[in-house]
């Protein structure tokens, strides 16, 4: 199929007809939207991703805090695109692009030729030159990272139940979230509500007052991309549910179970990174010097500046609005760009320039609280929280996921129970044999 040649019957002769071959790198919001717009068209499409699944990243924090399971917010790419007979999916890692020969180079698996190329490789967390911090403070860009955070968070509670000193217990019950953007705010609120309910219900030697959630933000306020009154509302609500917000606090070091802020060392059972993102290093494939933020400059039609037949969308692209300002790295931007570019490549003609239509920016803060910024008007509180839930359910990949997540959210709301509180067996081997004996003894007493 993908190779660009087919036979068409013409009278009594077989005529060789060439079909355009479009290669899409990345199966996130942008890449998937572009592929669907090209589905069942008169072009051959190959989508390449190093993962076999698409992922609804806005709800990853709920996987990390045991509210949802990974399967609730992800789906195999082959299933998402299986109904389109002109689309081929490859699970492979791209390591380079030869724009002259029009080839995409794969790790250990040769090359894939293209007529037109779409780069939609997304973004990754920016550790500002300290990539070694990632091991101690994972971000939230993949299922692996979400499960890693959940593992550390739940394991910290189990270790605290066995702690021999109050100081050790306090350290284990401290969670640190670095970065006061939407991800950091959502994580801090979810951890606080999860932990305090778990402690009061399920643990016998712990008290909710011993739990500590610290949100560190280097800037003057949290949710800096939102209007000031929404930022103030979020801060007030987080403090009310027990989150300690530290503004103007720049992290100088992150190590095993601790964070250094200025001259202060804060020990913690779980550390989460949410302090900014940068584009994937796709610019290097094109032989470019690193642009600001790693985002590849594109024109109004999303074509990479200076290169023909290569396009970039989503967090990978530096696209500008009519006022010359960069479009934000949001899922709605990537999805709209993918749909626009898919239609453009399907039709083959020059459409009107891409225009982003802002559907609103949102962040959930807690059980009954969220903020929405629609530009000319804003929303906060319970109504914003309900709207946030409706929007996120609607944006899930298919009807099955929408039903599953809706039912789980309703059950969680009514009972406060979290159904994904599972610790891998290998990680459960905590402490020495004495600690294991204590676990068994505690279980018998209950």
């Amino acid at each position: 199929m993908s190779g660009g040649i087919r036979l068409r019957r013409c009278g009594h002769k077989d005529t060789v007809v060439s079909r355009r071959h479009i290669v899409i790198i990345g199966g996130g919001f942008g890449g998937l939207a572009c592929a669907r717009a090209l589905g069942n068209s008169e072009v051959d499409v190959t989508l390449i991703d190093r993962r076999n699944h698409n992922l609804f990243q806005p709800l990853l924090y709920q996987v990390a805090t045991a509210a949802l399971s990974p399967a609730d917010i992800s789906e195999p790419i082959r299933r998402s695109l299986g109904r389109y007979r002109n689309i081929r999916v490859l699970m492979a890692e791209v390591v380079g692009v030869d724009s002259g020969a029009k080839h995409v180079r794969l790790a250990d698996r040769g090359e894939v030729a293209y007529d037109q190329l779409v780069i939609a490789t997304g973004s990754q967390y920016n550790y500002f030159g300290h990539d070694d911090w990632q091991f101690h403070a994972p971000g939230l860009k993949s299922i692996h990272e979400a499960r890693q955070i959940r593992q550390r968070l739940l394991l910290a509670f189990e270790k605290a139940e066995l702690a021999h000193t109050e100081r050790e217990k306090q350290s284990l019950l401290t969670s640190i979230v670095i970065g006061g953007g939407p991800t950091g705010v959502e994580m801090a609120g979810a951890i606080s509500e999860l932990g305090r309910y778990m402690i009061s219900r399920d643990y016998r030697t712990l008290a909710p007052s011993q739990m500590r959630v610290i949100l560190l933000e280097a800037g003057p306020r949290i949710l800096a991309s939102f209007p000031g009154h929404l930022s103030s509302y979020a801060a007030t609500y987080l403090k009310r549910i027990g989150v300690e917000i530290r503004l103007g606090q720049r992290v100088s070091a992150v190590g095993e179970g601790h964070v250094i802020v200025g001259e202060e060392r804060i020990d913690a059972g779980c550390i989460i990174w949410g302090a900014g993102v940068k584009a994937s290093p796709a610019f290097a494939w094109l032989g470019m010097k690193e642009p600001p933020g790693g985002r590849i400059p594109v024109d109004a039609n999303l074509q990479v500046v200076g290169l023909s037949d290569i396009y970039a969308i989503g967090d990978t692209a530096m696209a500008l609005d009519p006022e010359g300002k960069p479009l934000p790295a949001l899922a709605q931007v990537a999805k709209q760009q993918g749909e626009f570019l898919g239609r453009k490549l399907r039709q083959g003609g020059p459409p009107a320039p891409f225009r982003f239509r802002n559907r609103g920016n949102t962040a959930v803060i807690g059980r009954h609280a969220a903020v929405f910024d629609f530009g000319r008007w804003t929303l906060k509180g319970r109504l914003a929280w309900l709207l946030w839930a409706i929007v996120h359910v609607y944006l899930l990949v298919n009807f099955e996921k929408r039903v599953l997540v809706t039912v789980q959210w309703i059950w969680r709301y009514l009972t406060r129970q979290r159904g994904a509180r599972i610790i891998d067996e290998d990680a459960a081997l905590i402490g020495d044999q004495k600690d294991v004996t204590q676990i068994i003894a505690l279980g018998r007493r209950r």
Side-chain angles (χ1 to χ4, degrees):
M1 179 183 64
S2 295
I5 301 295
R6 65 174 181 171
L7 290 178
R8 175 182 294 169
R9 180 69 65 180
C10 182
H12 298 290
K13 297 181 180 180
D14 286 334
T15 304
V16 177
V17 179
S18 176
R19 282 167 55 118
R20 279 186 297 140
H21 183 209
I22 299 172
V23 172
I24 302 171
I25 307 175
F29 284 104
L32 209 58
C34 185
R36 283 173 168 159
L38 289 165
N40 293 334
S41 63
E42 292 300 310
V43 298
D44 290 326
V45 179
T46 299
L47 187 144
I48 306 171
D49 199 302
R50 61 184 178 182
R51 300 184 300 200
N52 81 323
H53 59 274
N54 60 68
L55 180 64
F56 192 69
Q57 287 190 6
L59 291 182
L60 260 182
Y61 84 95
Q62 295 213 359
V63 175
T65 53
L68 295 173
S69 296
D72 296 331
I73 62 168
S74 57
E75 181 178 74
I77 296 174
R78 295 184 186 278
R79 180 181 178 185
S80 299
L81 301 177
R83 65 182 181 274
Y84 304 116
R85 304 311 301 169
N86 66 320
I87 298 179
R88 179 189 182 196
V89 177
L90 297 180
M91 181 179 171
E93 182 176 3
V94 174
V95 295
V97 173
D98 187 334
S99 58
K102 289 194 171 183
H103 283 113
V104 172
R105 292 193 294 272
L106 308 180
D108 302 324
R109 294 188 182 274
E111 299 176 333
V112 177
Y114 67 85
D115 294 308
Q116 292 165 309
L117 176 65
V118 179
I119 301 176
T121 47
S123 60
Q124 58 194 29
Y125 274 102
N126 188 355
Y127 287 83
F128 305 102
H130 300 280
D131 291 343
D132 55 306
W133 292 358
Q134 185 173 3
F135 177 78
H136 306 295
L140 268 176
K141 284 291 183 182
S142 68
I143 288 176
H144 171 74
E145 289 174 321
R147 294 178 67 179
Q148 188 178 26
I149 292 170
R150 183 183 67 184
Q151 190 95 326
R152 293 180 182 181
L153 190 60
L154 297 178
L155 196 53
F157 285 97
E158 299 300 331
K159 289 181 177 180
E161 182 85 331
L162 295 170
H164 301 297
T165 67
E166 286 302 314
R167 181 177 179 181
E168 181 185 4
K169 186 177 294 186
Q170 180 69 70
S171 297
L172 290 166
L173 293 178
T174 297
S175 296
I176 299 175
V177 182
I178 303 170
T183 298
V185 166
E186 290 170 346
M187 278 299 304
I191 291 172
S192 181
E193 292 185 336
L194 165 70
R196 293 178 195 285
Y197 180 75
M198 280 175 52
I199 287 173
S200 62
R201 179 186 175 95
D202 296 339
Y203 293 87
R204 301 297 178 260
T205 66
L206 307 179
S209 59
Q210 296 171 308
M211 186 175 177
R212 190 181 183 196
V213 180
I214 302 173
L215 179 60
L216 300 175
E217 168 55 44
R221 65 184 178 95
I222 62 172
L223 297 180
S225 62
F226 287 74
H229 70 282
L230 295 183
S231 173
S232 298
Y233 168 79
T236 300
Y237 185 91
L238 288 176
K239 290 175 183 176
R240 186 152 56 93
I241 63 173
V243 176
E244 179 182 340
I245 301 175
R246 294 193 180 189
L247 302 176
Q249 300 282 301
R250 191 173 297 276
V251 173
S252 56
V254 179
E256 180 66 34
H258 72 272
V259 169
I260 305 295
V261 181
E263 299 298 323
E264 180 186 6
R265 173 181 168 131
I266 308 174
D267 293 325
C270 186
I271 306 168
I272 301 102
W273 186 269
V277 297
K278 61 181 179 180
S280 67
F283 66 88
W285 300 343
L286 306 177
M288 294 181 174
K289 292 183 179 179
E290 184 171 2
R295 302 178 75 180
I296 300 171
V298 298
D299 62 20
N301 290 315
L302 305 180
Q303 182 168 293
V304 175
V305 175
L307 293 173
S308 61
D309 295 321
I310 300 181
Y311 303 84
I313 59 176
D315 296 0
T316 312
M318 176 60 76
L320 305 178
D321 65 16
E323 298 177 356
K325 298 179 181 178
L327 292 177
L330 297 174
Q332 59 175 316
V333 175
K335 187 173 182 180
Q336 289 183 35
Q337 288 178 334
E339 293 169 348
F340 166 88
L341 185 57
R343 291 193 299 267
K344 165 186 163 57
L345 296 177
R346 184 185 187 116
Q347 297 164 358
F354 173 74
R355 291 287 183 267
F356 169 58
R357 293 173 175 80
N358 190 358
R359 309 299 187 193
N361 195 12
T362 182
V364 67
I365 309 165
R367 178 174 166 83
H368 294 126
V371 292
F372 247 106
D373 175 22
F374 294 95
R376 288 180 292 180
W377 60 283
T378 60
L379 195 63
K380 63 184 179 182
R382 288 177 181 263
L383 187 57
W385 174 76
L386 181 61
L387 181 59
W388 170 91
I390 293 172
V391 168
H392 280 69
V393 166
Y394 172 77
L395 290 175
L396 285 169
V397 69
N398 60 37
F399 179 76
E400 176 191 356
K401 304 298 182 186
R402 292 170 193 153
V403 172
L404 285 173
V405 170
T406 299
V407 170
Q408 290 185 78
W409 277 355
I410 292 173
W411 179 253
R412 194 187 80 190
Y413 181 81
L414 294 175
T415 67
R416 291 182 179 265
Q417 289 283 9
R418 306 272 176 139
R421 287 165 45 188
I422 305 299
I423 300 174
D424 291 346
E425 288 122 347
D426 291 343
L429 299 176
I430 57 177
D432 54 20
Q433 186 61 40
K434 181 180 178 181
D435 290 337
V436 175
T437 304
Q438 285 181 285
I439 292 176
I440 297 172
L442 277 170
R444 287 174 178 168
R445 286 203 297 272
R446 294 176 190 174

